[in-house]
Amino acid sequence: MNDSPPEITPGRALSGLKFFLLVLLVGAGWLVLRGTRVGDAVRDYEWVRGRILESGAWGGWLFAAGGAVLTVAGLPRMALAFAGGVVFGAVWGTVWSLLGALLGAGALFHLARFLGRDFVLPRLPARIRRYDTLLRENTFLVILSIRFFPLGHNTLTNLLAGVSTARALPFFAATLAGYLPTTVVFALMGAGLQKASLLQTAAGAGLFLVSVGIMAFAARRIRAQAGGGGRRL
């Protein structure tokens, strides 16, 4: 049995360097969002609202672009949707925050795929590879079941999908379908808070509780269907 360490080839060195860069970028985003004044400013919804309104007709696009960058850095999508409701109201808050979250998810997915997949995939144990196969064969259903949980870790999902063999188009379709319900609910809550409308805020909170139950039930059904349709683990 040969116990000598694997030869370090230029390809392996490059994949390791790229993976290190991915870890560095994700870590830097996390630190900026949670350990600097940038994070404090982002959580000040009235400050955000003032800056966006000063931007005039470009405000929505600026919000979506900023939301995409912050999503890559780890901002929860519910916080982005709530801020969208505060700034734009329920309808346009849903549109702009959903666009920002989708752009951010797509950017992080492709970043992880470009920088991390070559390093991660060859090192997966056999049992984990079976789950990767399940994800590849049932990308839409598996990602949709994860997106349906509002408290799921958005950044981790994007990263893991990126370094896996998940198919890109079903990933984006499932992300859109899974993001939409909670985005509507949190934008409605943000709009109600901005207008000091107790009824609108309460309606958003009630819809959130109802949607959690419905989405949890749907996620269990989806996972069961994905497990039945894929390979046996």
Side-chain angles (χ1 to χ4, degrees):
M1 180 175 180
N2 187 7
D3 293 329
S4 61
E7 180 184 357
I8 299 178
T9 63
R12 285 184 175 179
L14 179 59
S15 68
L17 183 61
K18 288 165 61 178
F19 181 75
F20 175 74
L21 179 59
L22 175 64
V23 173
L24 191 64
L25 290 173
V26 172
W30 190 90
L31 287 175
V32 167
L33 193 59
R34 290 163 178 80
T36 68
R37 292 183 179 180
V38 173
D40 296 334
V42 168
R43 288 185 285 271
D44 186 346
Y45 295 125
E46 286 302 321
W47 181 88
V48 173
R49 184 171 184 270
R51 302 291 79 74
I52 294 299
L53 292 179
E54 288 175 359
S55 303
W58 291 98
W61 296 106
L62 179 63
F63 182 88
V69 173
L70 292 171
T71 297
V72 172
L75 182 72
R77 55 190 168 96
M78 294 83 70
L80 183 61
F82 189 88
V86 170
V87 176
F88 299 105
V91 176
W92 283 106
T94 296
V95 172
W96 293 121
S97 58
L98 182 61
L99 178 60
L102 288 173
L103 290 174
L108 193 53
F109 173 88
H110 283 296
L111 189 66
R113 179 143 295 185
F114 176 70
L115 294 178
R117 187 163 73 168
D118 290 344
F119 181 85
V120 172
L121 277 184
R123 291 166 173 80
L124 290 179
R127 181 168 178 79
I128 303 300
R129 284 179 180 274
R130 295 176 183 175
Y131 286 100
D132 180 65
T133 300
L134 174 66
L135 178 58
R136 183 177 67 250
E137 295 176 349
N138 302 276
T139 300
F140 181 84
L141 293 177
V142 173
I143 296 299
L144 183 62
S145 70
I146 296 172
R147 298 302 195 195
F148 268 175
F149 281 102
L151 302 180
H153 202 296
N154 188 47
T155 302
L156 185 60
T157 301
N158 296 332
L159 287 171
L160 291 178
V163 299
S164 73
T165 57
R167 292 170 293 145
L169 187 57
F171 170 83
F172 291 122
T175 296
L176 172 60
Y179 276 3
L180 184 58
T182 49
T183 301
V184 170
V185 167
F186 277 89
L188 182 63
M189 293 172 65
L193 181 65
Q194 174 60 31
K195 296 178 180 179
S197 171
L198 180 61
L199 179 61
Q200 191 169 348
T201 304
L207 283 174
F208 173 69
L209 294 176
V210 172
S211 66
V212 167
I214 294 174
M215 288 187 291
F217 173 78
R220 285 196 296 269
R221 296 292 299 272
I222 290 169
R223 283 179 176 173
Q225 184 177 345
R231 294 185 180 181
R232 296 188 59 167
L233 302 180

